[in-house]
Amino acid sequence: MRKRLTSSGAAIFPLLFLSAVIFTACKKDSKSDPQPGNPDPVNNTAKSDEDSLKYLMYRTMQVSYVSGGRSTTTDLPSYYWYTQVPAIDPFSATYAKAEDLLSAMINKVSPTDRYSFLDRTGSLANKLQNGISQDAAPGEGGSYGMEVTYALDQSNKSHLMVLYTDKNGPASAADIQRGAEITAINGDANIAYDNGGPISQKVYAAIHSSKQVTLTVRKPKATATVTIPLTSTSFKINPILFDNVSNVGGRQVGYFSFYTFSSIYGDNDAPTNTKQVLDQLFAKFKAAGIQDLIVDLRYNGGGAVVTAEYLDNAIAPASAGGQVMYNFIYNNKLTANLSRTGLESVVKFDGTTGGLNLTRVFFITSGSTASASELTLQNLKPYMNVILVGDKTYGKPVGFIPFTLSIYKSGQEKYMGDLYAINFETKNARQEGGYFTGIDVNKQATDFVNVPWGDAQDEHLQQIYSYINTGAFKRDASTERVISNPDSRKVMSTALPSGSFNGMIDYRQRGGIR
């Protein structure tokens, strides 16, 4: 299923002393210092490494990514909205850090660009491209493999709850699962919701930026609490949280919950654990002869587009084979130089789709469903009945081609960060896109975190099962559930920032854009 980029006749530009190269986890080793008569604008102007980083970032986005922004003869800005950003002096003391400069730039296209960022640790690439879990702690790596949020009981009291745990992570190994309540962190019970204030920040840091933590946990259906110490580790991500096949009204229905689009191929082009578990999952569905499929993306903020393509090829009917899956749209200068850059404008379904023989597919979505998740469901709409249940999606029809920014001193490379600034927009085969405010659902449903994965009491599944059985959704049941079940915990979807990535990345372009 994997597509490879080709760039026959493409010009290959040398990477010089100061370079922004397309990301590859193994940095290229050979770089040359500037030659006599070829002055280096950064060395002549920059007063610090931070100045150099600001220069690299600005030039790569706004002038030309060629030769790390040093090129004075090539006009190929990489930023999708480069025309909306006025000329800025990247060396200005107004911008103490590269992040300050980037904020000033993207604020010029606000609110459209609420996505671009600079990753100084490189952890995101390892997590998404290689499928090796890392969280936010700079330079530390490792993760607990869990996501938490606040949820409300019937009295509107907040509770800190576990949304999900990766099967391969430390939290899952300690038997912490979806629906568990955290009542204290490192012995501190002062963890009530404070609307993004210091308590919320403390909670986020403990879960996503620490190497060790001790949680006091009340497991689902338990009355007593247990104390569980955790140590963050690196592990192979398993993006499938749960899967099963159920009989619904005499129909075989496949279901799986998918929390991240970690790439199916790593930086060494070898298949990752993500591809292995997806291959096994769809082989299982095919063997079971499923007639309907439910894809639960309620907490999935996206990731690698190659994984979105895998899912679309696996789900699409045979009639989609060879047809347009989606279109890439770049800025005007990249579009005018596609053959020169090696960039693709169209992605097609592979010749043999997954063989599931589905005519419709259900997606469970929420305000956390973004980017590669939205791309996946949008790509299928021209070819089959796509039905959404839950809440309106986040809204991110744009994505990144990551650039690694490095400086060189006396032949030694110093890594400065990975730049993720919007480089492209996507539209499906019907040229549908532009969903910056999100994609509406066919039926709303409420997320109760204390309902286990795949449970028939999940309101999303209740609505989908009703549709499968009767051809219509049932009336809303949220109010009844809260009244009848005092243990109900309604997810506050924006209560805490997610520790997971939000976006879509085309890692393959590291070998195509020149």
Side-chain angles (χ1 to χ4, degrees), residues 1-236:
M1 292 186 181
R2 193 180 189 201
K3 296 182 73 282
R4 294 301 298 261
L5 290 175
T6 59
S7 53
S8 178
I12 301 177
F13 300 99
L15 298 174
L16 301 179
F17 175 76
L18 202 50
S19 178
V21 297
I22 297 302
F23 178 79
T24 174
C26 297
K27 307 291 192 303
K28 293 180 175 62
D29 295 327
S30 59
K31 306 296 175 189
S32 57
D33 289 345
Q35 300 301 309
N38 184 17
D40 187 327
V42 177
N43 265 4
N44 292 342
T45 310
K47 296 179 180 179
S48 66
D49 288 354
E50 195 69 21
D51 276 346
S52 297
L53 176 58
K54 289 188 292 181
Y55 175 90
L56 280 173
M57 184 184 71
Y58 177 79
R59 295 275 299 187
T60 299
M61 292 171 63
Q62 292 297 116
V63 181
S64 178
Y65 64 84
V66 177
S67 296
R70 290 185 73 248
S71 176
T72 58
T73 60
T74 307
D75 188 15
L76 288 174
S78 65
Y79 187 45
Y80 187 59
W81 292 295
Y82 80 96
T83 59
Q84 299 183 41
V85 181
I88 294 176
D89 176 11
F91 297 120
S92 171
T94 304
Y95 316 110
K97 301 177 66 176
E99 287 84 355
D100 300 326
L101 174 61
L102 182 60
S103 293
M105 294 170 66
I106 66 178
N107 282 342
K108 300 298 182 182
V109 291
S110 180
T112 308
D113 190 354
R114 49 197 171 113
Y115 320 111
S116 297
F117 66 99
L118 182 67
D119 175 17
R120 290 183 184 252
T121 69
S123 61
L124 176 59
N126 200 35
K127 182 175 182 179
L128 285 182
Q129 188 176 16
N130 296 314
I132 304 299
S133 183
Q134 287 183 284
D135 251 325
E140 294 181 354
S143 168
Y144 301 120
M146 65 188 300
E147 190 69 68
V148 303
T149 194
Y150 286 99
L152 298 176
D153 62 21
Q154 60 181 348
S155 301
N156 284 328
K157 179 183 176 182
S158 69
H159 300 259
L160 184 61
M161 307 293 293
V162 175
L163 280 179
Y164 62 82
T165 57
D166 188 300
K167 295 175 184 176
N168 292 342
S172 181
D175 196 30
I176 299 175
Q177 304 294 338
R178 172 176 172 81
E181 180 177 358
I182 299 172
T183 61
I185 298 177
N186 296 324
D188 181 3
N190 183 23
I191 56 173
Y193 177 63
D194 67 344
N195 194 29
I199 295 178
S200 298
Q201 295 172 33
K202 173 180 66 177
V203 169
Y204 181 87
I207 299 298
H208 296 295
S209 300
S210 66
K211 297 186 72 172
Q212 293 182 321
V213 70
T214 299
L215 303 178
T216 305
V217 175
R218 180 179 295 110
K219 296 183 179 181
K221 299 182 180 180
T223 55
T225 61
V226 292
T227 300
I228 302 174
L230 295 176
T231 299
S232 64
T233 61
S234 293
F235 56 88
K236 291 182 179 180

Side-chain angles (χ1 to χ4, degrees), residues 206-392:
I207 299 298
H208 296 295
S209 300
S210 66
K211 297 186 72 172
Q212 293 182 321
V213 70
T214 299
L215 303 178
T216 305
V217 175
R218 180 179 295 110
K219 296 183 179 181
K221 299 182 180 180
T223 55
T225 61
V226 292
T227 300
I228 302 174
L230 295 176
T231 299
S232 64
T233 61
S234 293
F235 56 88
K236 291 182 179 180
I237 289 171
N238 185 339
I240 301 172
L241 299 172
F242 178 87
D243 70 272
N244 68 2
V245 176
S246 302
N247 187 296
V248 181
R251 295 176 66 84
Q252 292 292 95
V253 179
Y255 165 88
F256 72 104
S257 180
F258 196 67
Y259 85 91
T260 183
F261 280 73
S262 45
S263 180
I264 59 172
Y265 292 100
D267 58 46
N268 59 357
D269 293 330
T272 63
N273 186 61
T274 294
K275 185 176 188 302
Q276 179 180 344
V277 296
L278 284 173
D279 285 347
Q280 293 169 350
L281 175 72
F282 281 97
K284 171 182 174 179
F285 285 159
K286 188 173 182 179
I290 65 169
Q291 297 159 284
D292 283 302
L293 176 64
I294 304 167
V295 186
D296 193 336
L297 300 176
R298 74 183 84 175
Y299 308 133
N300 196 316
V305 297
V306 70
T307 305
E309 294 168 19
Y310 177 106
L311 289 181
D312 283 332
N313 277 312
I315 296 169
S319 58
Q323 303 299 309
V324 172
M325 180 185 288
Y326 68 104
N327 301 275
F328 282 106
I329 299 95
Y330 307 96
N331 68 44
N332 62 327
K333 292 187 177 180
L334 291 181
T335 299
N337 290 275
L338 288 181
S339 62
R340 183 182 185 185
T341 61
L343 291 168
E344 284 185 311
S345 59
V346 177
V347 175
K348 294 184 178 182
F349 286 91
D350 64 19
T352 57
T353 53
L356 294 179
N357 298 317
L358 303 174
T359 59
R360 67 185 176 189
V361 59
F362 298 88
F363 286 94
I364 296 176
T365 64
S366 75
S368 298
T369 304
S371 213
S373 290
E374 294 167 307
L375 176 70
T376 300
L377 62 91
Q378 279 289 109
N379 291 345
L380 293 171
K381 285 183 176 180
Y383 302 100
M384 61 194 305
N385 188 12
V386 176
I387 302 169
L388 272 59
V389 175
D391 273 322
K392 188 175 185 178

